[in-house]
Amino acid sequence: MELLSDQGLRVDGRRAHELRNVECRLGVFGRADGSAYLEQGNTRVLATVYGPHEARAAQRRHDVASINCQYRQAVFSGWERGRRAGGGGDRRAQELGALLQNTLESVVLVELYPRSQIDVYVQVLQADGGTYATCVNAATLALIDAGVALRDYVCACSASVLRDQPLVDLNSLETSGAPELTAALLPRSGRLPLLEMSQRFHVDKLGELLDVAETACRDVHTILNRAVRRHVSARSSEK
Amino acid sequence: MLQNPSWEDHRTDGRRRRDYRPMELETGLVTHAAGSARLRLATTDVLVGVKAEVGEPLPERPRAGRLQFSVDCSANASPEFEGRGGEALAGSIASCLTRAYASPSALDLRPLSIVPARQCWILYVDILILECGGNLYDAVSCAVKAALFNARVPELDVSSADSGRVDVELSDDPFKLLRLDVENAPCLVTLLLVDSECIVDPTQEEEACSKASLVTAVTAGGLVTAVTKAGRGSFHPTTVASALEMAAELGAVLNRTLTEQLQVEEQIEDRQIRGFLG
């Protein structure tokens, strides 16, 4: 099966620079302070935010808020059933939780909430590639829904190179065995709070790939921004 | 109001003792799973996925498949469930469901057998609790029943070769699927004890006001397959008897209504799955 046909079409009919279909909804759960559901193609993620609230003693910092993140994948989220339901989570989940914390710390105005804690929980319901990027985007939406002060949106996307052609927003078929880059962008400043790469890339290709990923992240930003504005105007016209 | 003896069958949200809150149900949301269902009971939100894998049957039941429950209390529902915080609750819900389905009259697992004593389908029922608004047991059991109703398992062609070897082949037809008969699958009915009266479908606030509850697994025919007492308080024996009667009645109605709605949902042509997008 060809991942990229001679006409430049991918397995799901997209072109190399096209994102998958993005659908999202803010305020999914009433009990959490902020929540969001995001779908990028068949990857589906739920993010909830609790806080800012009083920090646990171990996490309390006198001058800034501490951000606590947890990344979990549902047992039925992958093609094959995952091994453990909940519990401690595996090492990759812990690593992604810590990575999410670092990414969000660059954008949340933590100086405004000293001695408090902001919990961000991300649950992957269905994983079909680009999972971590979708989680970052969902977490941003949930933070906006919770009313936490942010410096900027964090928009993430995955990218790769196939036969010298850069691809963006990979699905699970394109991810298996191929080199994968996940990058997040702060659209207003153009800075990258997150960059993760796996497998082998030729260093000459890296510049081009980062440019392509940056454009894709800006496309994601357009979609998320539109969704947030729609949500806010719907809420304000209700009351 | 809850602790006032003259409250006359009115609860804080206007319901009577025997009234359930409105439920929203949708099946087939998780495309990677053999079956799935999402149930919203006011502010309680549960997502169940059923995956089928081939494995070995239990030695004491060689001609039947297996059913395995696991519950994950997501941190989305409450910060208390972060890390391993939700394990105790998850464990008790899973074991309650295991006992409810242990009875042979609950769910016939014989159609899931592939090669007796050697291979069978194992259905992994994975429950994800996304929001806790009270009455978790009932919501989870209804979602499980809906997911099992929705589940489709590939049919296998089993043929025995002359040498005694058995060949198992997956049919080429992707629509040749096995469905489970969930007619007798039980639903859990939680009855909360408040001042020697029992109320059904408690909210989280009502649960905080009471010390004991009775969780009963009831089939559509009104048969009770499992009973558990939860909480720190105690029941008087006469209260238990009347509670079981009430649970059996309510359970039969709950099962019937659930099955009717699942059948109505199945009849909808070109159903658009809305999922969390609302």
Side-chain angles (χ1 to χ4, degrees):
Chain A
M1 177 181 30
E2 278 223 4
L3 291 176
L4 191 63
S5 76
D6 296 324
Q7 292 84 28
L9 293 175
R10 294 153 76 172
V11 281
D12 49 8
R14 287 184 286 154
R15 298 241 161 238
H17 61 274
E18 281 175 0
L19 295 175
R20 289 176 289 183
N21 189 32
V22 177
E23 301 274 0
C24 61
R25 180 161 166 236
L26 284 88
V28 182
F29 296 132
R31 294 184 96 93
D33 291 313
S35 55
Y37 171 73
L38 182 66
E39 274 183 19
Q40 273 184 249
N42 279 327
T43 298
R44 298 171 184 173
V45 168
L46 264 174
T48 38
V49 169
Y50 285 91
H53 59 86
E54 190 179 344
R56 286 194 290 261
Q59 306 243 5
R60 198 175 305 150
R61 292 160 68 185
H62 73 279
D63 54 345
V64 292
S66 61
I67 302 186
N68 174 36
C69 296
Q70 183 180 272
Y71 170 97
R72 282 289 182 269
Q73 260 185 280
V75 187
F76 45 73
S77 59
W79 289 107
E80 289 188 14
R81 183 177 180 262
R83 255 169 292 128
R84 281 188 71 173
D90 56 12
R91 269 220 302 261
R92 179 72 180 145
Q94 284 178 347
E95 183 201 340
L96 290 173
L99 205 57
L100 186 64
Q101 185 182 330
N102 288 338
T103 311
L104 295 176
E105 268 173 357
S106 69
V107 83
V108 174
L109 291 163
V110 287
E111 316 79 45
L112 294 179
Y113 312 103
R115 291 180 300 280
S116 49
Q117 181 177 321
I118 302 173
D119 297 315
V120 182
Y121 301 124
V122 165
Q123 180 84 44
V124 178
L125 300 178
Q126 201 166 278
D128 188 27
T131 318
Y132 184 62
T134 312
C135 288
V136 168
N137 296 332
T140 304
L141 288 177
L143 282 167
I144 293 173
D145 187 49
V148 173
L150 300 178
R151 204 163 270 126
D152 201 347
Y153 281 79
V154 189
C155 305
C157 197
S158 55
S160 180
V161 170
L162 184 65
R163 297 206 308 253
D164 282 349
Q165 167 76 298
L167 299 177
V168 295
D169 199 11
L170 316 168
N171 59 35
S172 57
L173 279 170
E174 293 164 339
T175 311
S176 39
E180 186 180 1
L181 172 104
T182 306
L185 177 80
L186 302 181
R188 277 160 62 174
S189 56
R191 299 172 78 88
L192 300 169
L194 163 74
L195 189 63
E196 207 199 24
M197 209 157 73
S198 67
Q199 305 258 1
R200 287 194 324 234
F201 277 107
H202 197 287
V203 72
D204 291 346
K205 280 281 159 197
L206 188 57
E208 186 189 351
L209 193 64
L210 278 177
D211 288 335
V212 162
E214 191 188 327
T215 313
C217 289
R218 287 194 188 280
D219 290 339
V220 170
H221 171 241
T222 312
I223 299 170
L224 296 186
N225 194 21
R226 196 165 48 211
V228 167
R229 287 175 193 282
R230 205 172 39 219
H231 172 76
V232 168
S233 62
R235 287 279 285 270
S236 53
S237 59
E238 262 172 44
K239 298 193 176 132
Chain B
M1 192 190 229
L2 284 168
Q3 315 227 284
N4 183 348
S6 65
W7 58 308
E8 294 280 359
D9 210 8
H10 285 302
R11 292 155 73 172
T12 48
D13 52 7
R15 284 186 288 155
R16 291 168 305 168
R17 253 174 254 138
R18 297 169 148 252
D19 291 342
Y20 268 90
R21 288 169 293 179
M23 278 193 214
E24 285 171 35
L25 179 65
E26 193 176 18
T27 59
L29 306 108
V30 182
T31 40
H32 291 185
S36 58
R38 179 190 171 209
L39 191 127
R40 266 198 84 78
L41 176 62
T43 49
T44 299
D45 205 321
V46 175
L47 179 62
V48 177
V50 177
K51 275 198 182 274
E53 280 180 16
V54 178
E56 280 179 18
L58 291 170
E60 58 265 27
R61 289 170 76 167
R63 293 177 178 277
R66 282 164 58 186
L67 201 60
Q68 199 166 300
F69 293 98
S70 78
V71 178
D72 182 7
C73 290
S74 168
N76 287 40
S78 162
E80 286 168 8
F81 295 154
E82 192 187 330
R84 305 182 82 114
E87 269 188 11
L89 178 60
S92 44
I93 298 177
S95 59
C96 191
L97 282 170
T98 310
R99 269 178 294 116
Y101 278 81
S103 159
S105 54
L107 193 66
D108 188 7
L109 296 173
R110 284 171 303 180
L112 294 175
S113 175
I114 304 169
V115 179
R118 298 244 293 272
Q119 284 191 325
C120 69
W121 283 111
I122 306 179
L123 290 182
Y124 291 100
V125 182
D126 299 310
I127 298 142
L128 186 60
I129 295 176
L130 295 167
E131 215 182 354
C132 282
N135 203 18
L136 273 179
Y137 286 83
D138 297 21
V140 165
S141 68
C142 291
V144 165
K145 182 164 177 167
L148 288 170
F149 178 89
N150 178 248
R152 304 283 184 272
V153 173
E155 261 192 45
L156 299 173
D157 297 321
V158 182
S159 52
S160 28
D162 294 329
S163 56
R165 211 188 61 207
V166 180
D167 279 327
V168 178
E169 241 179 71
L170 188 62
S171 163
D172 283 334
D173 183 0
F175 293 103
K176 204 170 160 203
L177 298 164
L178 186 65
R179 281 190 74 164
L180 288 169
D181 179 15
V182 294
E183 176 67 42
N184 287 317
C187 280
L188 297 176
V189 177
T190 304
L191 289 173
L192 196 74
L193 184 68
V194 177
D195 276 353
S196 74
E197 293 283 354
C198 283
I199 57 174
V200 84
D201 190 19
T203 62
Q204 237 185 358
E205 291 74 24
E206 287 170 335
E207 280 175 353
C209 291
S210 161
K211 284 191 272 192
S213 62
L214 203 68
V215 181
T216 316
V218 186
T219 66
L223 279 178
V224 172
T225 59
V227 180
T228 315
K229 182 226 140 246
R232 315 189 295 276
S234 53
F235 278 83
H236 196 275
T238 41
T239 320
V240 174
S242 59
L244 285 177
E245 222 181 280
M246 185 176 170
E249 261 178 62
L250 290 168
V253 172
L254 182 62
N255 269 294
R256 204 172 47 236
T257 318
L258 182 62
T259 312
E260 271 167 23
Q261 292 306 311
L262 285 170
Q263 281 163 350
V264 164
E265 193 201 32
E266 211 183 11
Q267 299 301 321
I268 301 172
E269 279 185 24
D270 297 327
R271 177 168 66 99
Q272 298 288 334
I273 293 181
R274 289 157 70 193
F276 290 89
L277 292 168

